């Protein structure tokens, strides 16, 4: 009792396996040890031999570990047994093995020792060998398998006719198996004829025992002997036929693993030629067996390497190290983090020392040259005579998983990476120390042209809550010399100690996104030039790239997850500080002064309206040069105001960074300021300029504010701050940028969230910039609205909703027409009827064979009239809605295909709208403008007509372009319902158009242009095409009608299709069908396929 430690309480006592509880005999031995009772001379002699045996076996085991080509990733040293601590227990068990005591108690103790050894060592050496390579001795082997005990047993019992480890079951009776195993080694085949019995432990339900005992061939049936002869096909290879008498035990381990232990007596025979063996077997009709009279022994018996190879084959079959690593990390998150011990006083003190390191990074860190090309911010600096390195990276996984990635060190991945980078060097991980959350690690590091270094470090972690409400995890590590408890054993004399101090800070950004910061300094215990130390420190920063790439996910998904967090904050609103309010006032006042003298700017982006205002100066060369410029952009985005503002606020999102890189701009990153405010960020960017101009640098702060219930505003203001880019840019000219982004929520006809966007932008690029360059650059600066629109666009969904709403109006909502509208409709119908009666139309070839086209054109004139007719697989209301909905997303995206360079739509009511277009019909003629008034009207009999006629061009909101010629057009759509086919509605569509291009148009050009106005009919038919559905309906209808056909006697066809003489086969190309033909005079032929 006086020696019982404090931690050995009732809870710990209940966790001790039964096999660990001391027996009466073990208590007597312990009493004798305490009383220093001397051993007998014989026992002492045995003890000395056993100690020598243990030392030799341990040395051999470690030498073997470095030579084995094992796929597993554990390092043997990583979890090596503390032999000194367990010396007494191991000595007794080894002595029992050496003395050959075969009692069940000693066997169980041996298996227990091996299980414990395998548990601590892992799978680094593949098979743990604690046996003696001598004939007629006991073998003790063990390993870890990445599968449950049940699956391992099933695999061992499963037959396998191929590979290096082949198995065949010859007999099965009363739970016993007679099996024939073959192990193919490079120059020999090892055979085992075994009797096998599998039993499940009654005490441990997940444990299995497999008794293995070699048997003579005379004990098996004739069928089994014949099967063995079939399997013995080795060519010139030699064979070995050893005896085995032992046991396999398979017990359950953590993370669905199994511990496999093999305890057996092995007896190897001398290898012999397979040809001789086969000859004897055939002449005497006897099976080769392990009992054959083979005298002598080989210097290097194959039985040991064979057994190890078999156990290795079992391990490789189930080898899934990454799965085990994932389970370990998941267990750490689900269990260890939930029941983590409280921080001890030394742990709190150690983590307290780490608190100033992040501030040191922010204040002193110097960006590494060329780092702006990466997605990771990397820094180096000298502080207090020591070289420090740090990085900041965004990781596409939760903060908890990154904590597990760093802190769970006893993984296959860690060990594999260590062996690749530092082959042959030590790596030890100790955990569960002194009832704390700490971990100890000893790791050897290879240094080019220098002696290897050994780092002994103490790690611990804690969870903290930030002011923003998000969680963060801090992992600190210091040299083991700072640990108050027991450390590692002394290092070897030829190794050099080194020391590392650092911290990881894992900050939550979104549920599955986090920010990882690492800061570290290493003391190599050697005086080196600062340049060399800096180079070594850079190498330690590559860890960020590895973790980032390991967990990298789809950029759009990650951006959305980050935005969603910000959107929720925007919905709750965040108050502005006094300083932020001042920034908003200054930016708003700045643009308030520039309300007048804006000019239209040709927008290169669909759906985005742009305006520009420039301030210019006259340079020395008396050429106009601009110093700064204002820009304005307006548009509609298919998302809420919060989502749009969050997208704009995240200036360095993955999507926006891709746009930045596509423009070949050098740098763009967020400037860290410690714990950031949720509604404010600072960004630095460098813009590329054409030669010979220098690159421009812009440093801005962005602040968002919920101005009203429906409007979110983002203010962008310049910041006077020196930025460290790491060099490599040459001379940078500082520029200034101010912007005001307003997003106001709206809804479309179907209730889909949308918002109106207005961007006011001011750019002072510094110095004097040529006017033509400003004209080309300002649309780029306003291009963020186009990028925003494309990011959220749902064109198909919006158009579908708008069309459904318009279709419903045409079908159900009564319309009232004024006299002007009625006259326009009446004239349109009269025009259509007159064209139908006109006999001067001539049919022309249509690019769509299901559309009939007629055209009349007088040579030398600019006037042409045409009619196009087709059947559309839709109702008249759907067709009418599709024609009248001229402001659809689809129409905008296909405008260029119809030669439309500009258009304007002004709705009047539900059935009338103005439609103005500018078209570039040919490079050989001027632009043409059309000013039309479009009206739809539902006539009797469900017929719908759509009339488009000329209207005066004096509409103030959109005057005619000065460089274009005003054309004339009168078009009529007549839509009439037909009978549905198989539930698919049908409509007859007739389009009549009279177009006057005005001016003298050559016939060749007119003949090309005129049919273009009729292609809308073909496009409408293709849009609603349901040919497959109609064809399916018609086939089913035909099948149904065939049931009612009358039966015709075979005599009617008799002789009619008889194969004539003289037929010959012809090639069917790639077809598998056989084709036979015969041709006759007069164009008559016969064929069969």
């Amino acid at each position: 009792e006086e020696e019982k430690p404090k931690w050995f309480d009732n809870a710990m006592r209940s966790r001790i396996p039964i096999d660990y509880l001391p027996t009466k005999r073990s208590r007597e031995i312990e009493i004798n040890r305490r009383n220093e009772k001397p051993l007998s001379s014989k026992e002492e002699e045995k003890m000395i031999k056993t100690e020598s045996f243990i030392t030799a076996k341990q040395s051999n085991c470690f030498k073997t570990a470095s030579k084995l080509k094992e796929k597993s990733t554990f390092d043997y040293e990583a979890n090596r047994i503390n032999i000194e601590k367990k010396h007494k227990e191991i000595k007794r068990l080894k002595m029992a093995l050496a003395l050959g005591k075969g009692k069940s108690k000693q066997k169980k103790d041996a298996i227990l020792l091996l299980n414990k050894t395998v548990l601590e060592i892992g799978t680094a050496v593949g098979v743990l060998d604690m046996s003696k390579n001598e004939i007629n001795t006991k073998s003790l082997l063990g390993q870890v398998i990445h599968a449950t005990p049940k699956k391992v047993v099933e695999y061992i019992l499963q037959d396998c006719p191929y590979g290096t480890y082949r198995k065949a079951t010859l007999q099965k009776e009363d739970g016993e198996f007679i099996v024939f195993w073959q192990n193919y080694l490079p120059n020999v085949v090892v055979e085992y004829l075994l009797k096998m019995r599998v039993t499940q432990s009654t005490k441990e339900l997940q444990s299995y025992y497999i008794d293995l005992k070699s048997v003579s061939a005379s004990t098996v049936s004739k069928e089994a002997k014949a099967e063995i002869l079939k399997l013995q096909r080795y060519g010139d290879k030699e064979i070995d036929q050893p005896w085995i008498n032992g046991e396999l035990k398979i017990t359950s381990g953590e993370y669905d693993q199994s511990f496999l232990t093999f305890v057996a007596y092995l007896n190897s025979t001398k290898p012999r030629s397979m040809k001789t063996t086969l000859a004897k077997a055939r002449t005497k009709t006897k099976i080769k067996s392990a009992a054959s009279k083979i005298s002598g022994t080989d210097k290097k018996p194959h039985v040991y390497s064979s057994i190890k190879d078999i156990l290795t084959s079992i391990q490789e079959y189930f080898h899934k190290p990454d799965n085990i690593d994932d389970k370990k990390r998941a267990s750490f998150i689900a269990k260890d983090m939930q029941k983590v011990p409280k921080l001890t006083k030394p742990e709190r003190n150690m983590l307290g020392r780490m608190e100033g390191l992040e501030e040191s990074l922010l204040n002193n860190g110097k960006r590494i040259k060329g780092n702006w090309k990466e997605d990771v911010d990397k820094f180096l600096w000298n502080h207090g005579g020591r070289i420090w390195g740090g990085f900041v990276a965004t990781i596409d996984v939760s903060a908890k998983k990154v904590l597990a990635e760093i802190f769970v060190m006893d993984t296959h991945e860690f060990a594999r990476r260590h062996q690749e980078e530092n082959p042959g060097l030590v790596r030890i991980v100790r955990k569960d120390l002194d009832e704390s959350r700490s971990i100890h690690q000893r790791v050897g590091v290879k240094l080019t042209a220098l002696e290897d270094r050994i780092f002994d470090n103490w790690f611990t972690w804690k969870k903290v809550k930030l002011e923003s409400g998000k969680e963060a995890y801090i992992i600190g590590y210091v040299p083991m010399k700072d640990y108050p408890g027991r450390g590692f054993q002394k290092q070897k004399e030829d190794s050099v100690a080194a020391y590392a101090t650092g911290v990881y800070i894992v900050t939550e950004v979104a549920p599955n996104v986090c920010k990882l910061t690492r800061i570290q300094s290493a003391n190599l215990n050697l005086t080196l030039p600062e340049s060399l130390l800096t180079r070594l420190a850079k190498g330690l920063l590559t860890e960020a790239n590895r973790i980032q790439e390991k967990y990298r996910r789809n950029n759009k998904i990650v951006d959305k997850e980050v935005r969603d967090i910000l959107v929720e904050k925007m919905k709750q609103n965040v108050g502005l500080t006094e300083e932020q309010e001042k920034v908003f006032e200054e930016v708003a006042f700045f643009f308030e002064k520039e309300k007048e003298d804006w000019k239209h700017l040709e927008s290169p982006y669909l759906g985005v309206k742009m305006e520009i205002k420039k301030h210019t100066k006259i340079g020395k060369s008396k050429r106009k040069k601009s110093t700064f410029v204002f820009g304005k952009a307006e548009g509609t985005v298919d998302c809420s105001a919060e989502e749009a503002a969050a997208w704009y606020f995240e200036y360095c999102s993955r999507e926006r960074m891709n746009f930045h890189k596509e423009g070949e701009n050098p740098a763009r990153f967020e400037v860290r300021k410690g714990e950031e405010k949720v509604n404010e960020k600072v960004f630095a960017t460098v813009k590329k300029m054409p030669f010979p101009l220098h690159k421009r640098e812009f440093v801005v702060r962005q602040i968002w504010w919920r101005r009203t219930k429906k409007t979110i505003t983002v203010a962008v203001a310049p910041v006077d701050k020196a930025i460290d880019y790491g060099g490599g840019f040459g001379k940078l000219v500082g520029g200034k940028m101010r912007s005001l982004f307003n997003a106001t929520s709206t809804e479309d006809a179907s209730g889909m969230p949308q918002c109106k966007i207005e961007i006011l932008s001011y750019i002072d690029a510094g110095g004097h910039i040529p006017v033509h360059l400003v004209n080309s650059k300002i649309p780029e600066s306003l291009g963020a609205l186009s990028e925003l629109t494309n990011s959220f666009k749902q064109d198909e969904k919006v158009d579908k909703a708008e069309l459904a709403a318009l279709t419903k109006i045409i079908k159900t909502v009564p319309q009232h027409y004024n006299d002007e509208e009625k006259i326009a409709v009446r004239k349109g119908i009269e025009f259509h009827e007159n064209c139908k009666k006109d006999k001067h139309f001539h049919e022309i070839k249509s690019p769509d064979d299901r559309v009939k086209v007629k055209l009349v054109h007088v040579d030398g004139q600019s006037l042409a009239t045409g009619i196009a007719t087709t059947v559309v697989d839709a109702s008249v209301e759907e067709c009418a809605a599709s024609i009248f909905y001229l402001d659809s997303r689809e129409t905008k995206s296909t405008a260029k295909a119809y030669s439309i360079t500009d258009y304007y739509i002004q709705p009047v009511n539900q059935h009338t709208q103005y439609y103005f277009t500018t078209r570039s019909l040919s490079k050989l003629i001027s632009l043409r403008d059309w000013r039309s008034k479009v009206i739809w009207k539902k006539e009797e009999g469900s017929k719908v007509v759509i009339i488009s006629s000329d209207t005066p061009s004096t509409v103030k909101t959109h005057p005619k372009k000065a460089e274009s010629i005003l054309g004339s057009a009168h078009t009529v759509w007549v839509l009439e319902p037909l009978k549905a086919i198989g539930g698919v509605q049908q409509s007859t569509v007739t389009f009549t158009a009279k177009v006057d291009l005005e001016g003298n148009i050559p016939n060749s050009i007119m003949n090309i242009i005129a049919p273009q106005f009729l292609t809308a009919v073909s496009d409408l038919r293709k849009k609603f095409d349901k040919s497959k559905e109609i064809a399916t309906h018609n086939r089913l209808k035909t099948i149904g009608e065939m049931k009612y056909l009358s039966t015709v006697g075979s005599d009617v066809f008799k002789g009619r299709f008889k194969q004539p003489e003289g037929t010959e086969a012809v090639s069917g190309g790639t077809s598998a069908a056989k084709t036979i033909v015969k041709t006759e005079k007069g164009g008559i032929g016969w064929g069969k396929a």
Side-chain angles (χ1 to χ4, degrees), residues 876-877 937-944 975-978 987:
V876 293
E877 292 84 4
K937 189 173 186 297
K938 197 168 186 179
E939 299 287 311
E940 294 181 2
S942 298
K943 181 171 74 172
V944 177
L975 316 171
E976 299 177 275
L978 294 174
S987 299

Side-chain angles (χ1 to χ4, degrees), residues 367-374 725-728:
R367 190 178 297 271
I368 294 176
K369 185 177 181 179
N371 174 232
W372 42 267
K373 297 178 182 178
E374 302 183 56
Y725 295 97

Side-chain angles (χ1 to χ4, degrees), residues 1038-1060:
T1038 302
I1039 292 170
E1041 292 175 350
M1042 290 176 67
K1043 296 179 181 178
Y1044 302 102
L1045 293 176
S1046 58
T1047 305
V1048 180
S1050 60
D1051 56 326
V1052 175
F1053 296 93
K1054 188 175 181 181
R1056 186 171 297 179
F1057 296 101
K1058 184 177 180 181
Q1059 182 173 332

